[in-house]
């Protein structure tokens, strides 16, 4: 149980800065995910916390005590590696027992043959054995204890790696993309198992992934990273509903958010391809901005007949992807080449009705980003009733249309 | 007391604050101290060879531990070495013999390895078993009968005699077969559909893909035969045909104890070619030795 | 009527192609097969035949002598001394070259900037013309002119005649053998080390084995096991084939203290031309090599799984 704090952490390799000024406070028992594209520095960050790499400057503390001077095994953290890093020549039992034998036995008691001279050793090994069995029982890998890692499936290896981490009762678990070597189905399963494990253990989890779905489904809070910086820290809901940055908006959510180029007109009125929208932004006239709209917030007219307070965008259908329960529609926008707008609708919406249509959207569902990609708040939404006359048959399940 | 509390008590005993910079420095110091001791052992003969080859005789016999000679005598020593023995001839002989061996080895081994890896023919498995058995037979074993045979047909003291036992490299067959087996069948099928003959497939499709293995083998073969003394010692008595090791032996027997300056100059001249090639193609060399060694 | 054998002429084209392919393939293998016969199999047969005769080069008639060559070999003090010396030589070179090269490889492997420099230096003996370097060694070890003696004199120990003292000559040759072999073995060990995933060391560091000894005992040594077995076998074979240094530096002396198996075979066969006797010795030599080779095959099989 521990809170982990990072203060002004920097890391550079030569002149290349990999992490710049990271400040992060992870609460006791929290499941925090570091998510971001590859090369964003998330793995470096977790390796610095583990003590595998030194930071260039800044400090890390666990429970208000600095751990910067401690070697990895003294830091009370356990790590699960992407490759699991199981010792291939050791049985599952020995793999899980290793962290305990390393601390409980001294060097002589670990050397071959000489170790047999120690009277203390047998007693300790028995206790360690019990501890390992208890952990194995929790993870349901007891029958595997005698096997070598090569004889295990991916999911089983994953559990052994977890066991090796759990056996130390660490203050914090560090996980570096632990699910990325599993196949898609198993990944979904292990996702929920990890979340359950976190609840059961109540320890602090710091989890690194490039998969936004993992980040969204498991975490208490998510830190989205890019180019060595934390772009946004918040609950999964916050990141989805109020992305602080265009990059966060793009990274979180699938299918990807629609980004439409727009400009600010008179009195801050936002104009989309020359047509004013019922929203305003506090920017000078003529600024270029970007409007972000989630695919589920854009609905074809057949689903939701444009209401007075809604805006609409004339489009023509390019392609539709049938995913079983829902459909992803790709539309072209007249006059704007290369722009494809996606919309997520129920599978029952007939393609024929979509050839040429209008996409209706609620202005309040728009995210505005300035020229630097930073979020700007919508200053005012033109008045209009928030209720809607939506044809519920055509709504995709789980979509929020406010 | 359960295991966990045991561990906790142990952990408390450990000094947690360590002087990591001092530790790193100490480990670095010990590492380099050990490695440099080894380097001194390895380089000792090389350095002594170079130094002695530029020393005048009186300084050599003076037997003082001096690194740099008082009088530079390199030109005299090297001239002496080059004029009193056909050193360049030795090196050329080495080149001819090693090159000849390598070319025939490749010409014989590549088609055979391809046939073993990709084609079906009666006796294929038997042939492969013979190849594996051949791997266990060192050159010194068939030396005696081959020598008798060469003596009978009066071919001793020829380049051919020096090369013939090595024309077949079972090792090359084995190595290339391993390499060819991983070559995709589909490409071979496609080549056949495109009208290529098997002959063309071997030399124009499969062989280029095996270049890393061939380069590795070439390094291995060249180094091995350049250094081989046993066989040339047996079949060559004509100084003009001697490859470098045998030439060096002739030279040191003739000059022994009298002129160390010239002797070390000769050693330098005969060692230099391979060393220079090595320094330029270090990666290839080490890869070659590793690949041929580990597989 | 349909049971009448189909004449070859009308064989389906696929079948004919298969036959052609077989002929082609046999053609590819033929040169190798001929050379295999000529340079390995027939010589082995001749060698076996010679073992039971009294053949000497240039002799007019050849007589069958049964096992007498073998019995005389087994009782021949020269041969027994040569075999003992060879085994002693192996017993020094093997641990020396394996342990030292493992040490060097482990230390070099973790160097970043200096790694390639060390690699080059340790590999130099492998790529130098060995006979030339052996000659230099002779001079380096020279009791009055060599630098080692000079250093020993300076230390007050006095001159040591490394190559002419019967009790020192063989160990001295072994040290030169180690010198020649370290770089080669180091490269093999480095290749082995590079296959150990870095993750494992990091996991070990977190699990509490960050110390050099713990790292080595828990990860490096067990995972290097197959490489080590391989290096041991190849080094044994190389050491067992010791010939060059003996032929150049000591000629088997002083007092037969450096007579080794291959040198004995060389003398019997190509200096005294006692071909039949040399054939028997060659077979004994081959048996040793085969034992090492079989060991190697067994080891290579084990390499596949842990």
């Amino acid at each position: 149980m521990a809170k982990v704090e990072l203060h002004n952490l920097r890391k550079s390799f030569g002149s290349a800065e990999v992490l710049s000024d990271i400040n992060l406070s992870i609460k006791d028992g929290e499941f925090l995910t570091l998510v971001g594209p590859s090369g964003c520095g998330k793995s470096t960050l977790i390796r610095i916390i583990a003590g595998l790499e030194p930071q260039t400057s800044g400090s890390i503390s666990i429970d208000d005590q600095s751990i910067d001077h401690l070697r990895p095994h003294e830091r009370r953290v356990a790590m699960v590696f992407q490759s699991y890093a199981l010792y291939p020549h050791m049985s599952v039992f020995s793999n899980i027992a290793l962290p305990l034998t390393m601390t409980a036995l001294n060097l002589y008691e670990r050397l071959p043959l000489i170790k047999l001279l120690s009277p203390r050793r047998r007693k300790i090994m028995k206790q360690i054995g019990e501890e390992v069995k208890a952990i194995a029982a929790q993870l349901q890998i007891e029958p595997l204890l005698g096997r070598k890692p090569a004889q295990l499936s991916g999911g089983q290896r994953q559990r052994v790696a977890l066991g090796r981490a759990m056996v130390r009762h660490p203050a914090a678990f560090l996980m570096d993309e632990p699910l990325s070597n599993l196949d898609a189905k198993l990944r979904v399963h292990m996702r929920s198992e990890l979340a359950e494990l976190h609840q059961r253990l109540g320890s602090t989890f710091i989890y690194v992934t490039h998969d936004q779905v993992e980040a969204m489904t498991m975490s208490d809070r998510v830190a989205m990273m890019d180019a060595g910086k934390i772009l946004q820290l918040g609950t999964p809901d916050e990141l989805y509903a109020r992305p602080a940055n265009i990059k966060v908006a793009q990274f979180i959510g699938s299918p990807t958010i629609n980004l439409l180029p727009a400009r600010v007109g008179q009195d801050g009125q936002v104009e989309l391809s020359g047509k004013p929208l019922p929203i305003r932004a506090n920017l000078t006239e003529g600024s270029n901005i970007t409007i972000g709209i989630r695919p589920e917030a854009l609905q074809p007219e057949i689903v939701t007949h444009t209401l007075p307070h809604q805006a609409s965008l004339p489009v023509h259908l390019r392609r539709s992807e049938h995913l079983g329960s829902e459909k992803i529609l790709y539309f072209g926008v007249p006059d704007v080449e290369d722009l494809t707008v996606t919309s997520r609708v129920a599978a029952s919406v007939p393609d024929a009705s979509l050839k040429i249509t209008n996409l209706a959207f609620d202005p309040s569902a728009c995210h505005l980003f300035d020229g630097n990609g930073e979020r700007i708040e919508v200053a005012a939404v033109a008045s209009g009733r928030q209720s809607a006359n939506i044809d519920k048959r055509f709504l995709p399940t789980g979509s929020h249309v406010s | 007391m359960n295991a966990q509390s045991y561990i906790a008590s142990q952990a408390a005993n450990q000094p947690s604050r360590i002087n990591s910079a001092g530790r790193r420095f100490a480990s670095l110091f010990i590492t380099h101290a050990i490695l440099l001791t080894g380097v001194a052992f390895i380089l000792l003969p090389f350095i002594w060879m170079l130094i002695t080859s530029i020393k005048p005789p009186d300084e050599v016999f003076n037997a003082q531990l001096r690194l740099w000679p008082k009088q530079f005598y390199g030109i005299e020593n090297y001239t002496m070495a080059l004029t009193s023995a056909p050193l360049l001839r030795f090196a050329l002989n080495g080149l001819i013999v090693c090159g000849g061996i390598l070319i025939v080895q490749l010409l014989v081994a590549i088609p055979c390895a391809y046939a073993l890896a990709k084609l079906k023919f009666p006796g294929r498995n038997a042939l492969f078993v013979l190849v594996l058995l051949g791997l266990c037979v060192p050159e010194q074993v068939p030396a005696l009968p081959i020598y008798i045979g060469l003596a009978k047909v009066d071919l001793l003291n020829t380049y051919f005699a020096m090369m013939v036992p090595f024309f077949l490299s079972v090792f090359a067959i084995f190595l290339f077969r391993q390499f060819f087996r991983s070559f995709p069948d589909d490409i071979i099928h496609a080549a056949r559909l495109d009208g290529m003959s098997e002959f063309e497939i071997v030399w124009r499709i499969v062989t280029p893909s095996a270049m890393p293995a061939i380069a590795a083998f070439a390094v291995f073969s060249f180094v091995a035969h350049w250094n081989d003394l046993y066989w040339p010692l047996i079949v060559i008595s004509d100084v003009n045909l001697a490859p470098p090791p045998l030439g060096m032996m002739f030279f040191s027997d003739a000059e022994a104890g009298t002129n160390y300056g010239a002797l070390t100059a000769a050693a330098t001249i005969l060692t230099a070619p391979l060393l220079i090639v090595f320094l330029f193609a270090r990666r290839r060399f080490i890869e070659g030795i590793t690949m041929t060694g580990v597989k | 009527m349909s049971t009448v054998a189909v004449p070859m002429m009308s064989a389906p084209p696929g079948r004919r192609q298969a036959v052609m392919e077989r002929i082609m393939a046999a053609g590819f293998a033929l040169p190798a097969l001929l050379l295999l016969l000529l340079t390995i199999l027939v010589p082995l047969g001749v060698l076996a035949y010679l073992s039971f005769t009294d053949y000497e080069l240039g002799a007019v008639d050849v007589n069958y002598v049964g096992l007498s060559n073998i019995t005389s070999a087994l009782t021949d003090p020269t041969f027994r001394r040569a075999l003992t010396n060879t085994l002693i030589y192996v017993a020094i070179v093997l641990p020396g070259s394996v342990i030292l090269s493992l040490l060097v490889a482990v230390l070099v492997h973790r160097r970043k900037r200096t790694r390639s420099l060390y690699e080059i230096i340790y590999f130099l003996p492998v790529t130098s013309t060995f006979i030339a370097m052996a000659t230099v060694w002779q001079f380096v070890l020279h009791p009055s002119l060599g630098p080692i003696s000079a250093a020993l004199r300076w230390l007050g120990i006095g001159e040591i005649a490394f190559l002419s003292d019967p009790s020192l000559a063989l160990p001295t040759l072994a040290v030169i053998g180690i010198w020649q072999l370290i770089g080669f073995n180091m490269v093999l060990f480095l290749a082995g080390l590079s296959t150990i995933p870095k993750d494992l060391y990091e996991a070990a560091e977190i699990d509490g084995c960050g110390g050099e000894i713990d790292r080595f005992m828990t990860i490096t040594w067990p995972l290097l096991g197959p490489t080590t077995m391989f290096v041991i076998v190849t080094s044994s074979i190389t050491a067992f084939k010791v010939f060059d240094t003996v032929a150049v530096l000591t000629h088997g002396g002083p007092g037969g203290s450096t007579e080794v198996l291959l040198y004995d075979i060389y003398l019997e066969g190509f200096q005294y031309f006692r071909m039949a006797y040399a054939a028997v010795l060659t077979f004994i030599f081959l048996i040793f090599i085969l034992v090492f080779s079989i060991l190697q095959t067994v080891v290579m099989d084990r390499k596949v799984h842990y």
Side-chain angles (χ1 to χ4, degrees), chain A residues 47 52 72-73 77 79 81 83 85-90 98-99 102 107 110 112 150 164 168, chain C residues 197-211 213-214 217-219 222-223 306:
Chain A
R47 289 163 57 81
L52 295 173
H73 68 276
V77 297
M79 185 150 169
F81 291 80
S83 64
L86 299 178
Y87 309 114
H89 55 292
M90 293 183 189
L98 187 89
M102 278 296 151
L107 182 57
R110 297 197 301 266
R164 191 175 63 187
R168 305 176 56 204
Chain C
K198 224 179 120 209
D199 277 4
L200 287 185
Y201 286 114
E202 296 186 337
E205 216 169 323
I206 291 179
D207 288 344
C209 32
I213 298 173
D214 279 328
M217 295 299 295
T218 347
I219 300 178
L223 290 186
Y306 44 59

Side-chain angles (χ1 to χ4, degrees), chain C residues 46-298:
Chain C
V46 171
L47 208 61
Y49 165 74
L50 287 179
S51 306
F52 300 102
T53 67
D54 61 354
Y55 179 77
E56 291 185 17
L57 193 67
V60 187
D61 55 333
V62 180
N63 301 310
Y64 177 78
V65 296
L67 297 175
S68 76
N69 281 325
I70 296 169
T71 44
S72 63
L74 293 179
T75 53
D76 178 4
T78 313
F79 166 70
R80 293 174 74 157
R81 191 172 54 201
L83 187 58
T84 320
N85 283 342
T86 310
L87 293 176
I88 292 173
Y89 180 87
V90 173
I92 302 173
V93 170
L94 184 60
S97 67
V98 172
I99 293 170
L100 289 178
S101 58
L102 179 60
L103 178 69
V104 170
V106 168
L107 296 180
V108 165
H109 183 64
R110 294 180 52 201
R111 302 270 58 84
K112 289 195 181 79
R113 262 169 299 163
T114 47
R115 175 176 165 151
S116 54
L117 184 67
Y118 281 124
E119 247 180 36
I120 291 176
I121 293 173
Y122 279 98
F123 204 68
L124 279 182
V126 182
T127 51
S128 58
T129 307
F130 182 57
I131 298 303
M133 294 318 295
T135 318
V136 176
W137 267 113
Q138 187 169 30
F139 180 44
V140 167
L141 295 167
H142 195 285
S144 54
L145 304 180
I148 292 185
S149 270
L152 290 176
R153 271 199 306 274
W154 185 76
L155 288 170
I157 297 172
E159 294 172 358
I160 296 179
F162 290 97
L163 290 171
S164 41
D165 180 335
S167 63
L168 283 181
L170 192 62
T172 304
L173 292 189
V175 170
I176 300 177
I178 293 173
W179 173 84
Q180 191 195 7
L181 213 51
I182 282 185
F184 185 78
N185 287 349
M186 172 200 73
V187 165
L188 295 183
F189 275 127
L190 282 175
L193 282 171
S194 66
T195 63
I196 300 179
K198 224 179 120 209
D199 277 4
L200 287 185
Y201 286 114
E202 296 186 337
E205 216 169 323
I206 291 179
D207 288 344
C209 32
E212 298 287 332
I213 298 173
D214 279 328
R215 282 165 62 102
F216 184 80
M217 295 299 295
T218 347
I219 300 178
T220 313
W221 176 248
L223 290 186
L224 220 47
T227 311
T228 311
M229 285 308 284
F230 180 78
V231 171
I232 287 175
V233 173
T234 52
S235 300
S236 317
I237 294 180
T238 310
F240 198 79
K241 293 199 284 193
V242 56
F243 174 79
D244 295 3
T245 38
V246 175
V248 174
L249 300 186
T250 62
H251 304 286
S257 64
T258 59
E259 245 162 22
V260 291
L261 197 48
L262 216 45
Y263 193 67
D264 199 20
I265 295 174
Y266 166 74
L267 287 183
E268 294 289 351
F270 305 104
Q271 294 294 309
Y272 315 146
F273 295 114
R274 291 167 54 188
M275 297 296 189
Y277 186 58
V280 167
L281 299 190
T282 306
F283 262 110
I284 296 173
F285 170 74
L286 181 60
I287 287 168
F288 274 95
I289 298 288
L290 285 181
V291 169
F292 290 131
S293 302
I294 290 166
L295 224 71
Q296 174 171 358
T297 333
V298 174

Side-chain angles (χ1 to χ4, degrees), chain B:
Chain B
M1 191 148 76
N2 65 18
Q4 206 193 328
S5 54
Y6 226 115
I7 291 148
S9 68
Q10 285 286 322
N13 290 340
Q14 279 183 354
S16 58
R17 187 169 284 272
I18 42 130
N19 185 347
S20 66
R23 223 188 141 89
R24 280 234 324 266
F25 180 77
S27 108
L28 215 62
F29 179 80
I30 294 170
T31 302
H32 284 290
I34 296 173
L35 287 176
L36 289 173
T37 312
V39 164
F41 171 54
I42 297 290
L43 288 185
L44 172 68
F46 290 103
I47 291 169
W48 200 247
M49 172 173 83
L50 289 175
I51 292 168
T52 313
S53 74
I54 53 170
K55 269 185 186 172
D58 58 314
E59 279 188 58
V60 171
F61 285 100
N62 191 355
Q64 299 242 305
L65 255 187
R66 277 189 87 83
L67 275 190
W68 200 251
K70 277 182 247 167
Q71 183 196 352
F72 182 80
Y73 203 69
I75 294 164
E76 290 85 340
N77 281 337
Y78 280 89
T79 322
M80 170 78 188
L82 285 169
T83 50
S84 64
L87 292 181
L88 299 178
R89 179 79 212 201
F90 296 157
L92 180 69
N93 289 339
L95 209 63
I96 293 172
V97 170
C98 291
I101 289 173
L102 181 62
I103 289 169
V104 179
Q105 278 177 336
L106 292 178
L107 287 177
V108 171
I110 288 174
C112 179
Y114 174 74
L116 283 174
K118 293 290 183 194
L119 302 177
K120 288 196 190 72
F121 61 95
R124 183 175 78 162
N125 292 338
L127 181 62
F128 187 59
V129 169
L130 284 180
V131 167
L132 289 180
L133 285 179
L135 279 176
C136 305
V137 179
E139 55 154 319
Q140 293 86 356
V141 170
L144 200 77
I146 295 178
Y147 173 81
I148 297 173
L150 287 170
K152 289 260 193 278
V153 293
D154 207 14
L155 277 174
L156 293 178
N157 267 319
T158 58
Y159 284 128
F160 179 77
M162 258 190 287
M163 295 190 275
V164 70
F166 310 110
F167 280 159
L168 176 76
S169 169
V170 279
F171 177 65
I173 297 179
F174 180 76
L175 182 73
F176 295 153
R177 174 184 171 270
Q178 299 295 88
F179 218 85
F180 290 164
R181 266 158 63 100
S182 60
F183 190 83
D185 282 333
D186 284 350
I187 299 181
I188 295 174
H189 293 321
R192 281 185 196 146
L193 286 177
D194 290 343
M196 277 189 150
S197 67
E198 292 296 315
F199 188 82
E200 283 173 299
I201 292 175
V202 173
W203 294 110
R204 288 181 49 196
I205 308 283
V206 181
T207 305
S209 81
M211 258 338 186
I214 292 172
F217 175 76
V219 167
F220 168 84
S221 166
F222 211 91
V223 171
H225 295 115
W226 180 272
N227 272 317
D228 186 34
L229 173 70
Y230 192 83
W231 183 247
L233 184 62
I234 291 168
V235 292
I236 299 297
S237 51
D238 180 353
V239 178
N240 284 318
L241 287 177
L246 189 60
M248 189 66 212
M249 208 173 154
F250 284 145
F251 186 74
S252 66
D253 277 349
E255 299 281 322
T258 56
N259 193 344
Y260 278 108
L263 194 64
T264 47
T268 310
I269 293 168
L270 289 181
T271 305
L274 210 54
L275 273 190
I276 289 168
V277 177
F278 164 61
L279 290 178
F280 276 104
R282 178 171 58 90
R283 279 282 129 231
R284 271 258 166 273
F285 255 70
I286 292 179
E287 268 165 28
I289 296 294
T290 321
M291 190 188 278
T292 47
V294 174
K295 274 197 178 153

Side-chain angles (χ1 to χ4, degrees), chain A residues 337-354:
Chain A
E337 274 178 44
D338 301 333
L339 182 66
T340 302
V341 175
T342 8
S343 159
R344 193 153 75 108
V345 299
S348 49
V349 177
D351 280 358
S353 63
L354 302 169

